[in-house]
Amino acid sequence: MNIPLIKEIMTLSPEGQTVIIRGWVRTKRELKHLVFIEVNDGSCFKNIQCTFDLSQFTDQSISEQLAEVSTGVSVEISGKLVPSPAAGQPVEVTASSISVIGKATAENYPLQKKRHSLEFLREIGHLRARTNTFGAVARVRSRLAFAIHEFFQHRGFQYVHTPIITASDCEGAGAMFQVTTLDLEALAKSGKAVDYSKDFFGKRSYLTVSGQLEAETYATALSRVYTFGPTFRAENSNTTRHLAEFWMVEPEVAFAHLEDNMELAEAFLKHLFNVALTDCREDLEFFNERIQQGIIETLDSVVNSKFTHMTYTDAVKELEKNAGAFEFKPYWGCDLQSEHEKYLTEKVAGGPVIVTDYPKEIKAFYMKLNEDGKTVRAMDVLVPRLGEIIGGSEREERLEVLENRIKELGMNPEDYWWYLDLRRFGTVPHAGFGLGFERLILYVTGMTNIRDVIPYPRAVGQADF
Ligand code: 4AD
Ligand code: MG
């Protein structure tokens, strides 16, 4: 394949060699006999400028082609690569020919030269990747997805593909999408009871909320594993931080305790921030200038400082000192609300905080019970602006304690026979966590709505395209 990207062409030294530019027109400007066309192909933030000097062309067809050029048109332009006198671009093209590949009539092409609102762009999800903002988000997503694999692969973790369709509710929050091939409408009409033994899998099944339980089965065989895939939550949370379909990264480590887990989470986040700072610099500079001022500085300072550690009990004490400031009054036993998480990170710690040892009642069944019998070895990593970015724990590896907890919660131990087997045969302490990939992208880019950091958002009342 010999179709160079604009990003690659930009790095060539401008010695007058012939290049071919392929991409979509961002702008066209005319100045007497000069026509300037800026082309973008999404490979990098920058556009490449192609200049047509009409006084140099004898052929009329060039003017005909140029007349068809407007924002959004796809083109192939050839010309000479020359140094650019303009600031911010190393090279430009002195064009000798252009062919319009696909027109985009200016009257009805939804994207114009002006700045569009994010709300408007959400309605044209199929075209929004052609804007600066969504191009930049897509590149950061891609680079960080790869960085996740790099981080774990370099540390001896095996990538495990956990299932999307499952029968178990990992988080026990009852927020699962059911998967069925039964014709529920027809059954309801006929008055017959729904019999899931006749369903496709012979029992009720769902889209997974987390790959953790299955990742644990592999961690207790391969020692260090991670899974990275789509997860689904039917939470009725219409917020800027929740999606119904989001990507989660979940490492799971055998023989690890909570302290190891905290260390891993911090090193992992710092690695991802560093990669963004170095490899996505241009995109981050754009976000820093246009979306959220100070994000580069913040990321820089986070990678160079230690995360604050705090138990849930101490966190609640801090919040109670300032109880008047909250809509939801904090008390020991309450689930931390996003206003509490914001306060802890922004006012108390001035940076990321790892909160540990939450009351067992507000955490999932699999977390290891502390000796106090009240709290579990849970950890949430909170960051300013967003709150929770990572949730994890040391797992309960003691068979009896886990069985009791399952029963206490009214769950059926038989449904978890395979999970309990891990504790029956060669049990070991182990720990892991889940990072919400879109929350990571929100944090790194400074974007404010989670629906703008995934190509096709699925949220309450929204599953367009
Ligand atoms: O805290 P959560 O629910 O933890 C788990 O699912 C564990 N099984 C993970 C593990 O230990 N392996 O979710 C983990 C992270 C959250 O911290 C948050 O970043 C993200 O997933 N998350 C969501 N992101 C977007 N939309 C939602 N509805 C999310 N729910 C959780
Ligand atoms: Mg959580």
Side-chain angles (χ1 to χ4, degrees):
M1 188 173 74
N2 185 22
I3 311 170
L5 295 166
I6 290 174
K7 177 184 177 177
E8 294 154 358
I9 292 170
M10 291 272 202
T11 63
L12 299 175
S13 65
E15 287 155 352
Q17 68 270 48
T18 303
V19 288
I20 300 178
I21 306 296
R22 300 172 180 88
W24 294 266
V25 171
R26 283 292 176 85
T27 62
K28 179 173 104 174
R29 280 184 302 125
E30 294 174 63
L31 195 74
K32 294 186 186 149
H33 55 90
L34 295 176
V35 180
F36 304 98
I37 294 180
E38 294 212 16
V39 183
N40 186 284
D41 69 354
S43 62
C44 62
F45 190 81
K46 289 200 174 95
N47 304 324
I48 194 158
Q49 177 167 292
C50 303
T51 307
F52 294 80
D53 182 349
L54 295 181
S55 67
Q56 303 296 314
F57 290 97
T58 45
D59 184 0
Q60 249 318 104
S61 69
I62 196 102
S63 302
E64 284 161 24
Q65 288 287 303
L66 286 172
E68 288 186 344
V69 172
S70 57
T71 302
V73 162
S74 52
V75 290
E76 193 170 291
I77 295 172
S78 58
K80 282 194 167 59
L81 197 66
V82 296
S84 176
Q89 54 181 48
V91 292
E92 60 177 60
V93 173
T94 301
S96 51
S97 77
I98 176 168
S99 56
V100 169
I101 300 171
K103 294 186 200 174
T105 42
E107 309 83 67
N108 54 11
Y109 183 56
L111 297 171
Q112 291 305 322
K113 237 165 95 176
K114 64 172 192 153
R115 207 166 159 177
H116 296 286
S117 75
L118 296 171
E119 290 75 21
F120 168 73
L121 293 173
R122 242 169 261 150
E123 289 166 17
I124 47 164
H126 60 304
L127 295 174
R128 67 178 182 170
R130 298 184 184 191
T131 63
N132 283 337
T133 307
F134 289 91
V137 167
R139 283 185 296 271
V140 172
R141 252 190 99 94
S142 169
R143 183 62 191 91
L144 291 186
F146 187 55
I148 284 165
H149 290 293
E150 284 172 322
F151 179 86
F152 289 121
Q153 295 284 336
H154 285 150
R155 283 166 181 75
F157 286 70
Q158 309 297 330
Y159 179 28
V160 179
H161 301 100
T162 49
I164 298 290
I165 298 175
T166 173
S168 31
D169 182 359
C170 173
E171 292 307 298
M176 303 183 86
F177 286 102
Q178 198 178 324
V179 178
T180 181
T181 52
L182 295 176
D183 186 342
L184 298 176
E185 214 175 309
L187 283 169
K189 263 192 208 147
S190 69
K192 279 191 207 142
V194 179
D195 179 0
Y196 286 106
S197 70
K198 299 217 169 66
D199 203 350
F200 190 93
F201 298 106
K203 60 174 159 183
R204 268 180 114 136
S205 35
Y206 307 88
L207 295 178
T208 189
V209 295
S210 157
Q212 178 198 320
L213 305 186
E214 294 87 351
E216 280 183 61
T217 67
Y218 270 68
T220 51
L222 303 179
S223 296
R224 294 181 200 169
V225 301
Y226 68 105
T227 175
F228 181 20
T231 47
F232 306 86
R233 305 237 170 142
E235 294 163 302
N236 198 5
S237 321
N238 199 353
T239 78
T240 52
R241 308 186 312 149
H242 290 88
L243 287 166
E245 176 179 311
F246 64 98
W247 283 64
M248 187 154 44
V249 190
E250 298 180 89
E252 193 67 36
V253 184
F255 307 101
H257 297 277
L258 191 65
E259 293 68 25
D260 306 296
N261 211 24
M262 291 197 273
E263 235 173 75
L264 181 69
E266 181 167 340
F268 179 48
L269 285 176
K270 286 181 172 173
H271 173 79
L272 298 176
F273 298 160
N274 263 323
V275 168
L277 284 166
T278 49
D279 291 6
C280 308
R281 195 75 194 185
E282 274 183 3
D283 292 321
L284 253 54
E285 277 165 6
F286 164 77
F287 290 119
N288 202 48
E289 196 187 309
R290 295 281 285 272
I291 304 287
Q292 184 92 233
Q293 273 171 13
I295 50 156
I296 292 188
E297 206 184 316
T298 305
L299 290 175
D300 266 330
S301 89
V302 168
V303 295
N304 290 311
S305 53
K306 189 105 194 62
F307 290 9
T308 303
H309 294 184
M310 205 184 282
T311 63
Y312 169 90
T313 302
D314 286 343
V316 170
K317 277 185 197 150
E318 282 295 337
L319 296 170
E320 280 173 338
K321 279 190 215 161
N322 198 37
F326 305 113
E327 217 170 286
F328 185 99
K329 294 283 161 279
Y331 60 91
W332 198 95
C334 78
D335 221 343
L336 296 185
Q337 306 295 308
S338 85
E339 55 174 339
H340 303 149
E341 296 177 341
K342 262 173 95 108
Y343 181 83
L344 292 172
T345 51
E346 292 169 15
K347 299 284 189 306
V348 180
V353 181
I354 310 185
V355 179
T356 60
D357 304 289
Y358 284 72
K360 65 177 180 181
E361 284 77 17
I362 57 170
K363 288 291 178 190
F365 75 96
Y366 51 72
M367 296 192 182
K368 180 160 180 163
L369 191 64
N370 277 319
E371 275 172 21
D372 62 12
K374 289 188 207 147
T375 57
V376 285
R377 303 247 75 192
M379 65 165 210
D380 275 7
V381 182
L382 316 178
V383 293
R385 270 202 308 116
L386 276 188
E388 181 187 341
I389 192 166
I390 281 181
S393 72
E394 186 169 336
R395 319 306 186 189
E396 184 54 76
E397 87 277 20
R398 297 163 295 184
L399 178 63
E400 242 176 68
V401 183
L402 185 58
E403 261 177 341
N404 286 340
R405 186 68 185 140
I406 288 178
K407 287 184 201 147
E408 215 171 80
L409 288 167
M411 297 155 64
N412 185 359
E414 278 167 29
D415 291 342
Y416 294 87
W417 66 274
W418 55 276
Y419 188 67
L420 291 164
D421 262 4
L422 306 180
R423 281 76 182 163
R424 261 180 212 113
F425 310 123
T427 192
V428 286
H430 59 291
F433 61 81
L435 165 70
F437 188 54
E438 286 72 24
R439 299 246 176 119
L440 168 79
I441 306 296
L442 277 180
Y443 188 64
V444 166
T445 59
M447 295 290 286
T448 50
N449 191 326
I450 200 162
R451 295 169 200 217
D452 296 331
V453 294
I454 186 163
Y456 292 98
R458 274 86 180 86
V460 194
Q462 185 189 19
D464 309 330
F465 302 100

